[in-house]
Amino acid sequence: NAGVTQTPKFRVLKTGQSMTLLCAQDMNHEYMYWYRQDPGMGLRLIHYSVGEGTTAKGEVPDGYNVSRLKKQNFLLGLESAAPSQTSVYFCASSYLASGTENSPLHFGNGTRLTVT
Amino acid sequence: QQPVQSPQAVILREGEDAVINCSSSKALYSVHWYRQKHGEAPIFLMILLKGGEQKGHDKISASFNEKKQQSSLYLTASQLSYSGTYFCGTGALSNSGYALNFGKGTSLLVTP
């Protein structure tokens, strides 16, 4: 049982380049989330999805786009990477809304992105 | 929107107790607690829902005071394996009410 899988694990980009991070879950979870983690800042919500075909903005959405075309996948795109987007990105999923229900988050192992 | 955690860091000797606090400026539906080891993903510990409940899991327990919008995580008789960074995540009545907002974390180091 794979759980939540993120690809790639590591990536180095130059300023202005674009890329897509892929998150896949095999637990049939309705809700999916993208967080970024920076030293001393904790986990900050970028975007989330409450079901296939839906997306919503979190705390720090600027510079990112997302898509949820299939229930099991949640893609995070960087259109024009900036050094400020150097971070560790975590995808997570939950069966129900994590904020309002008894439904824990299941995290992927993270993607370490460096923008030079 | 981030909940506030305190303290920022704690160093314990094996067998000692610790309390980590989490407070929010918003009315809360729920509080989650997670632990993260260096270089790994956060791992779920427990959820507390509004209703002022207290939960326990082995020697780790937590309380949730809905009226004060606060939660505390209690680690008793700490073990070396308890070392890591602890995060509280809160579900608040806000634009991101469906999702959790996490605090900045509390670094816990348990020494022999």
Side-chain angles (χ1 to χ4, degrees):
Chain A
N1 195 353
V4 179
T5 303
Q6 291 183 232
T7 52
K9 290 185 170 57
F10 302 95
R11 185 72 187 268
V12 178
L13 288 180
K14 293 188 176 179
T15 298
Q17 287 185 321
S18 63
M19 77 162 294
T20 300
L21 281 67
L22 172 63
C23 176
Q25 53 93 5
D26 63 0
M27 297 174 283
N28 200 33
H29 283 175
E30 205 66 43
Y31 295 80
M32 297 187 75
Y33 316 84
W34 277 107
Y35 289 90
R36 61 175 288 175
Q37 185 173 37
D38 303 292
M41 297 299 294
L43 293 150
R44 290 182 293 169
L45 182 66
I46 305 172
H47 287 279
Y48 65 100
S49 169
V50 301
E52 182 179 314
T54 73
T55 63
K57 293 181 180 180
E59 292 175 75
V60 289
D62 294 343
Y64 304 96
N65 57 75
V66 286
S67 64
R68 182 105 181 263
L69 299 179
K70 293 183 179 180
K71 185 176 182 178
Q72 63 267 33
N73 296 337
F74 195 27
L75 280 62
L76 178 71
L78 284 74
E79 294 171 342
S80 178
S84 60
Q85 294 177 304
T86 293
S87 187
V88 179
Y89 292 85
F90 284 100
C91 175
S93 71
S94 62
Y95 184 64
L96 301 172
S98 62
T100 57
E101 305 289 343
N102 186 4
S103 190
L105 292 182
H106 298 256
F107 283 91
N109 287 326
T111 295
R112 186 172 296 275
L113 174 67
T114 302
V115 183
T116 61
Chain B
Q1 282 197 5
Q2 276 187 298
V4 177
Q5 286 185 236
S6 63
Q8 287 186 315
V10 183
I11 299 176
L12 296 174
R13 293 210 171 195
E14 219 174 346
E16 291 182 336
D17 302 340
V19 180
I20 300 172
N21 299 304
C22 175
S23 64
S24 173
S25 59
K26 296 183 178 291
L28 300 176
Y29 287 117
S30 68
V31 179
H32 294 220
W33 287 96
Y34 294 79
R35 176 170 61 210
Q36 185 180 32
K37 304 274 187 180
H38 184 70
E40 298 180 5
I43 299 297
F44 169 73
L45 293 175
M46 64 187 75
I47 293 174
L48 301 101
L49 299 176
K50 66 177 184 176
E53 63 181 291
Q54 184 151 353
K55 270 195 174 180
H57 175 66
D58 196 9
K59 292 175 183 166
I60 300 175
S61 62
S63 63
F64 177 26
N65 188 321
E66 173 185 350
K67 288 182 181 177
K68 291 186 178 180
Q69 296 157 194
Q70 294 175 347
S71 177
S72 294
L73 185 71
Y74 307 94
L75 300 104
T76 58
S78 59
Q79 305 166 16
L80 295 177
S81 62
Y82 286 5
S83 293
T85 301
Y86 289 77
F87 293 99
C88 70
T90 55
L93 185 60
S94 69
N95 290 337
S96 299
Y98 293 109
L100 294 179
N101 289 300
F102 285 92
K104 294 183 178 180
T106 295
S107 175
L108 178 72
L109 176 63
V110 181
T111 62

